[in-house]
Amino acid sequence: MDPSLNPSSVEADAVVADPPRRARRRPARADVLAIGAYVLLGVLVCLNYWGDVEHRVSSHLPTDHSWFEWLFAHGAYSVQHLENPLFTTRQNAPDGVNMMANTSLLGVTLPLAPLTLLLGPQVMYALYLGAALSATAATSYWVLSRHLVRSRAGAFVGGAFLGFAPGIVHHANGQPNFVSNFLLPLIVARVLRLGEPGRWRRNGVALGLLVAYQIFINEEMLLLTALACLVVVVAYAVQRPRAARERAGSFVAALGVGGGLALLLTAYPIWFQFNGPQSYRGLQGGVFHNWGEDLVAFVTFARDTIAGDEAVEKTIGLTEQNTWFGWPLVLVALAALVLLVRRSVPARILAVLVVAFTIASIGPVVRFNGVETDIDGPWAYVPDDLPLVEMMMPTRLSLVVVAAVGVLLALAWDALAGAGRPPVPAPRAAADDSTDGDGTAARDTRRRVLRLAGYAAIVAAVVPLIPRPLPAERIDPPPHFITAGGWRPYVPEGRTLVPVPIPSNVHGLHTLRWSALTGQEFPIPGGYFIGPNERGEGVFGAPNRPTSTLIYSTMDANEVPEITDENRRQAVDDLRFWRASVVVLGAGPREAVLRDLMAELLGPPQRVDDVWIWDVRDRV
């Protein structure tokens, strides 16, 4: 790419400070084609699920996959029974789970409740996952094409990267909350318009509504977006102080309206998150603070791309693959920054974002190719209990870098396209026509070659990052006893069904799905969530009771230990605590040893349909 192809500084200033309205309508056909391509990519990513959607889960994060199926069932249950969606006792009975203090995705599961009731949580999970990826790409395309670049092709490339970047597709393995970013481009665009004179009320209200809704989708991504917007605003003010001062009044007024409205709409849920039942303060030991990016990860192809190699992650894949761009994209991005940054304010702001958030994502120790060096990272100086950041993973700060690279690709393509627009001819003396014509033709040829080379470089950088279908594995369906309602005579109102193994963040994946796939009609103990320990710190899953610990250790050893009268007494106490009415064991890889264990604890089981049960209503 040629420096002469950069967008002018005047145009760039206008884009950042006050995005212009398009005087002409873009052809709707281009928009439809772009969105259609994004939908096809969404289908491609989820293709392995659709082969047997009711019996497949993510191979990489099966527990997270099952958790989000459970969340769709929770949204449907809350709407159907008109219960408070911020809290549930259908998992971790009798203590329950604070849904605002977990990744509950309420902004999605509640409005989609009718579809979940109609199609089931497995179908809804796969359907929504592809739709969320496509919608994020579509809103990114809309913002880029309407507010930043003139080239629809450039907006398409940028939108595709923002929706389907390797770091985003990585999270699609069981974490749809991190691919549900369709509101974030709209939030950023609205922030950049807060300085519009005379529109501070409208802009503030729009921002407040968007922020309030995003809180019920993913608060962590909202926090990252807010940090990125803060850097953008400060960087712009430093570069254009006069324009910033002129817009400061409207900006502050609109920001106040937006912040006040968002707080008004979310005050109670946020209070409930930090002060409601089963709330907590930080995670025990600040477990996420060591999750920083490996420097080699930036030039490595991600596992789920067509150029990726699953073996590489065993070396450097100790954390999430948020910045696995591959070396061609890193080279293209650096070249684009070098060529655009001199005359483009947006490019300079993107450079600040890339540098700041790359450094911030490194974590407490610099890692290189899977090896921890002796060099401290920035998070070595961040206290583990610092408010707001106490639960953040340093590696996820690099998702801002992902967004910056996506916008940079759109800017670079747009600069190349702009170089191909015919210039306004200037009058020349008749005597110079022949030589000028030859010179103009040579310059046009040179620009055409450079433009084509630039297009080819961008395409060569992004094509290896096309996602592959997410890996999926088969999971056995729940027992017929569960799905057909054979459990109903055994579970009266106010009592629980205790599945064996009891669901946790390590064991009981299939038993957690019993609850999800029956519409949460019966409460269960344990589960897959974050709740408080005895000190109020967040821990994964319910605190183990003696019986659940005994079950897990038996599964790990694959043999029944010597059972004492104390074990039997503790089992009865635990069942009483769980308000159990029936214990159910279905088919599984440890069925025989678990049956022997429970028989030692509770006596001989009864075979009903395709499960073993212990009716304990008369014992607890």
Side-chain angles (χ1 to χ4, degrees):
M1 289 180 292
D2 187 343
S4 65
L5 309 185
N6 299 343
S8 69
S9 59
V10 175
E11 180 183 6
D13 287 354
V15 168
V16 173
D18 186 7
R21 291 170 172 264
R22 293 298 181 201
R24 57 184 178 88
R25 293 181 58 188
R26 294 188 180 276
R29 184 172 62 178
D31 298 341
V32 171
L33 289 174
I35 294 172
Y38 297 150
V39 170
L40 290 177
L41 275 174
V43 173
L44 172 68
V45 169
C46 301
L47 195 60
N48 286 335
Y49 295 143
W50 289 113
D52 188 8
V53 69
E54 295 185 351
H55 304 114
R56 291 189 180 179
V57 296
S58 168
S59 298
H60 294 305
L61 289 174
T63 47
D64 282 38
H65 186 130
S66 296
W67 161 252
F68 279 96
E69 286 183 344
W70 192 91
L71 288 180
F72 277 104
H74 165 72
Y77 183 90
S78 300
V79 171
Q80 185 179 25
H81 297 274
L82 300 179
E83 289 198 355
N84 177 15
L86 306 183
F87 187 79
T88 182
T89 56
R90 312 312 286 181
Q91 189 175 163
N92 192 35
D95 293 333
V97 178
N98 188 320
M99 302 304 291
M100 278 301 297
N102 283 268
T103 53
S104 55
L105 209 63
L106 292 174
V108 171
T109 63
L110 294 178
L112 292 181
L115 279 178
T116 303
L117 292 170
L118 177 65
L119 302 175
Q122 310 108 302
V123 175
M124 275 309 304
Y125 176 94
L127 188 65
Y128 174 75
L129 183 63
L133 290 163
S134 303
T136 300
T139 56
S140 301
Y141 166 83
W142 186 89
V143 169
L144 290 171
S145 62
R146 268 60 178 180
H147 298 294
L148 189 61
V149 299
R150 296 176 61 186
S151 167
R152 292 191 298 277
F156 172 78
V157 172
F161 188 82
L162 287 165
F164 295 91
I168 303 301
V169 173
H170 170 82
H171 285 285
N173 289 284
Q175 297 177 325
N177 58 320
F178 279 103
V179 307
S180 303
N181 302 324
F182 42 84
L183 293 184
L184 301 183
L186 305 179
I187 290 173
V188 172
R190 188 57 57 177
V191 169
L192 298 182
R193 298 185 66 176
L194 291 182
E196 289 181 321
R199 294 178 177 172
W200 59 274
R201 291 186 184 88
R202 186 186 68 176
N203 288 333
V205 168
L207 179 64
L209 292 174
L210 290 169
V211 168
Y213 196 73
Q214 178 64 31
I215 285 174
F216 296 101
I217 296 178
N218 191 326
E219 292 176 273
E220 186 173 352
M221 291 301 292
L222 178 62
L223 176 58
L224 294 179
T225 303
L227 292 174
C229 286
L230 176 62
V231 172
V232 169
V233 170
V234 171
Y236 177 78
V238 169
Q239 294 182 75
R240 294 291 184 267
R242 180 177 178 181
R245 285 194 299 270
E246 292 173 352
R247 292 170 171 82
S250 296
F251 185 93
V252 172
L255 188 63
V257 170
L261 179 59
L263 182 61
L264 177 66
L265 294 175
T266 62
Y268 177 72
I270 291 176
W271 175 90
F272 194 93
Q273 175 178 348
F274 294 102
N275 298 282
Q278 291 297 102
S279 58
Y280 52 87
R281 290 289 187 275
L283 285 178
Q284 186 179 36
V287 295
F288 290 151
H289 277 216
N290 290 328
W291 285 33
E293 280 295 90
D294 191 306
L295 296 182
V296 176
F298 288 85
V299 295
T300 305
F301 291 110
R303 175 191 61 208
D304 296 320
T305 62
I306 61 175
D309 182 1
E310 190 165 331
V312 176
E313 68 176 339
K314 296 178 182 178
T315 303
I316 64 173
L318 301 179
T319 63
E320 299 166 345
Q321 298 178 15
N322 294 317
T323 57
W324 292 42
F325 296 133
W327 62 266
L329 180 58
V330 171
L331 293 179
V332 167
L334 290 175
L337 283 176
V338 169
L339 296 175
L340 294 175
V341 77
R342 289 187 301 166
R343 299 178 58 191
S344 169
V345 171
R348 288 198 289 273
I349 293 175
L350 292 175
V352 174
L353 286 174
V354 167
V355 172
F357 283 90
T358 295
I359 293 173
S361 70
I362 291 174
V365 177
V366 175
R367 287 193 300 116
F368 188 86
N369 201 27
V371 177
E372 290 189 355
T373 69
D374 295 330
I375 304 173
D376 285 341
W379 283 72
Y381 309 99
V382 178
D384 289 347
D385 57 351
L386 190 67
L388 291 181
V389 299
E390 59 186 354
M391 290 186 61
M392 290 183 64
M393 298 182 188
T395 177
R396 290 183 180 168
L397 290 168
S398 63
L399 291 173
V400 176
V401 182
V402 173
V405 170
V407 177
L408 180 62
L409 288 173
L411 282 177
W413 193 287
D414 190 57
L416 292 165
R421 298 181 186 115
V424 177
R428 297 284 185 178
D432 295 334
D433 282 351
S434 60
T435 56
D436 183 67
D438 292 340
T440 300
R443 284 194 299 271
D444 288 346
T445 300
R446 176 175 173 270
R447 289 187 176 186
R448 189 179 301 111
V449 171
L450 290 174
R451 188 167 69 253
L452 293 176
Y455 289 151
I458 293 174
V459 171
V462 299
V463 165
L465 305 182
I466 293 175
R468 293 184 292 187
L470 298 174
E473 64 185 23
R474 180 176 171 80
I475 187 171
D476 291 332
H480 184 263
F481 174 82
I482 296 295
T483 57
W487 57 269
R488 293 183 186 278
Y490 300 94
V491 187
E493 186 69 25
R495 304 294 287 272
T496 66
L497 183 151
V498 178
V500 178
I502 296 162
S504 73
N505 63 312
V506 177
H507 301 91
L509 162 64
H510 60 288
T511 55
L512 177 62
R513 297 182 88 236
W514 294 5
S515 171
L517 303 188
T518 55
Q520 300 185 359
E521 293 187 358
F522 52 81
I524 58 173
Y528 186 70
F529 62 96
I530 300 178
N533 61 13
E534 64 277 3
R535 296 186 298 275
E537 300 170 316
V539 294
F540 289 93
N544 284 336
R545 299 188 65 83
T547 304
S548 56
T549 300
L550 184 59
I551 290 173
Y552 303 147
S553 62
T554 300
M555 292 181 67
D556 293 337
N558 198 24
E559 64 177 350
V560 179
E562 182 178 351
I563 301 301
T564 66
D565 288 341
E566 178 65 11
N567 295 137
R568 298 183 181 93
R569 185 193 64 78
Q570 290 174 337
V572 173
D573 287 346
D574 291 340
L575 291 171
R576 186 175 293 118
F577 172 80
W578 291 324
R579 300 175 187 171
S581 61
V582 65
V583 178
V584 181
L585 170 64
R590 296 289 189 268
E591 177 185 357
V593 70
L594 288 175
R595 183 186 65 237
D596 293 343
L597 171 66
M598 299 311 296
E600 288 282 347
L601 292 173
L602 302 176
Q606 178 185 359
R607 186 68 176 180
V608 178
D609 199 348
D610 55 348
V611 300
W612 300 99
I613 72 166
W614 289 262
D615 188 343
V616 297
R617 285 174 290 181
D618 60 343
R619 301 176 63 177
V620 299

